[in-house]
Amino acid sequence: EITLYFQNLLFYDMGGGTTDIALLEIGLEELTGIVPVVDRTNNMGRYFVVRPRILGLTGRDNFAGDNVTLAVFRILKSKLATKVANLLTSNPSNLKKPDRSPAVQQTLDAFVEFKTQHDQQDTFFTRWFTAGNSKDYEKGVKEAINILIPTNFRNKPELQPTFFEMWKEAERIKQALSTVPPGYEQVGLPKSIAATGEKLLPAIKHLNLGFQEYELSDIQVSAEEMERIILQEIKNTFEKARNLCIGQGEKSQTPEMK
């Protein structure tokens, strides 16, 4: 005699590089009559076989936890670039320096021009995440920010330590903004996390500003800023999971990502 029970389970796994979603049917099969029961007062136990079946797979192979870290990383660079640019342009005598590289000078000139045209708002490097659009970063200020805060080590391997120090700092901030430590459930998540000055200093070393760690302690990343950038992508993964459950959209029986 066989008795079957069924339960559908939705698995949602946002890893470091991919987001994997699976809808499974879990069959629980109870087998009876395997062992003869001579004395029914004698508890012989119960026997079950779990029979899983994949109903559908979907996900994203271009969005996951590393993309969230990247968002925080870019916010850090943008805010650090703003602080540096304000310092270098606050004194009129510092606006032009003969020993300053042409690329740095052009970036600072663009920063000053933007402030002049926008009522002295210093959002030249940060306006992209205020709007919550990563595409504006790519096509707008990415290159300018990297001139002041160089971390691209593709052609400059000496920048690898700088990049990874700031990346680890971005990872720390991401985890602090999204994970409640054990025992602090009643406190909830923080609204913002301050960066560690020690981790940011190497990125501005080439400018010879003489900054101390404490002078960078006012650079913070808020949960609202982080969420504004990634919210639409998160919604997209939830929509994929929803479509899988209600039988619309993707119903692939293979782990192919779309």
Side-chain angles (χ1 to χ4, degrees):
E1 183 181 346
I2 299 176
T3 303
L4 288 175
Y5 306 92
F6 292 98
Q7 178 69 56
N8 288 352
L9 297 179
L10 179 69
F11 289 85
Y12 181 99
D13 177 21
M14 179 184 286
T18 64
T19 299
D20 303 301
I21 305 168
L23 182 62
L24 302 183
E25 178 189 79
I26 305 298
L28 189 62
E29 180 179 323
E30 182 176 5
L31 306 180
T32 59
I34 296 180
V35 179
V37 179
V38 179
D39 181 2
R40 293 193 176 276
T41 62
N42 182 19
N43 185 5
M44 300 297 295
R46 301 172 71 183
Y47 298 86
F48 294 91
V49 176
V50 178
R51 302 192 184 278
R53 184 166 72 95
I54 297 174
L55 299 179
L57 297 169
T58 186
R60 292 280 301 275
D61 62 358
N62 59 353
F63 179 78
D66 285 347
N67 297 85
V68 183
T69 305
L70 178 61
V72 176
F73 179 85
R74 288 175 168 178
I75 292 172
L76 279 177
K77 285 189 66 173
S78 301
K79 291 192 172 186
L80 184 56
T82 300
K83 188 174 185 68
V84 167
N86 274 322
L87 177 69
L88 292 176
T89 59
S90 59
N91 190 331
S93 63
N94 290 333
L95 290 179
K96 304 287 184 180
K97 289 286 187 179
D99 58 342
R100 188 174 289 160
S101 75
V104 170
Q105 187 61 61
Q106 290 172 9
T107 301
L108 294 176
D109 290 345
F111 177 79
V112 172
E113 182 180 359
F114 180 88
K115 288 182 67 175
T116 302
Q117 295 176 352
H118 295 82
D119 298 325
Q120 298 304 306
Q121 295 183 38
D122 61 354
T123 57
F124 179 68
F125 299 116
T126 60
R127 64 190 188 278
W128 69 272
F129 67 78
T130 302
N133 192 345
S134 294
K135 292 182 179 179
D136 288 343
Y137 177 87
E138 294 286 351
K139 67 182 180 181
V141 294
K142 179 179 179 179
E143 184 176 347
I145 290 174
N146 203 62
I147 289 172
L148 294 184
I149 317 297
T151 58
N152 188 344
F153 59 83
R154 177 173 297 178
N155 298 316
K156 294 182 178 180
E158 67 274 13
L159 291 177
Q160 282 194 28
T162 301
F163 169 84
F164 284 110
E165 279 297 300
M166 189 173 288
W167 183 267
K168 286 188 291 185
E169 182 65 0
E171 180 73 17
R172 180 189 71 84
I173 292 174
K174 177 193 76 172
Q175 292 182 358
L177 288 173
S178 56
T179 307
V180 178
Y184 289 83
E185 289 79 7
Q186 299 299 321
V187 178
L189 293 170
K191 293 184 177 180
S192 64
I193 296 292
T196 305
E198 178 186 2
K199 305 295 184 181
L200 304 183
L201 276 178
I204 58 175
K205 181 180 177 182
H206 68 289
L207 296 171
N208 298 314
L209 298 175
F211 266 13
Q212 301 298 316
E213 292 178 18
Y214 70 89
E215 295 179 271
L216 301 178
S217 61
D218 60 339
I219 295 180
Q220 300 187 13
V221 177
S222 71
E224 182 182 0
E225 291 166 343
M226 180 182 74
E227 291 167 1
R228 189 182 298 130
I229 300 172
I230 65 171
L231 182 59
Q232 190 54 49
E233 299 287 2
I234 295 290
K235 285 183 176 179
N236 178 275
T237 64
F238 287 173
E239 186 66 18
K240 284 177 173 286
R242 174 180 176 274
N243 288 340
L244 196 61
C245 290
I246 65 176
Q248 298 178 0
E250 300 167 270
K251 277 193 169 183
S252 173
Q253 290 295 317
T254 65
E256 178 185 358
M257 298 296 185
K258 297 186 178 180

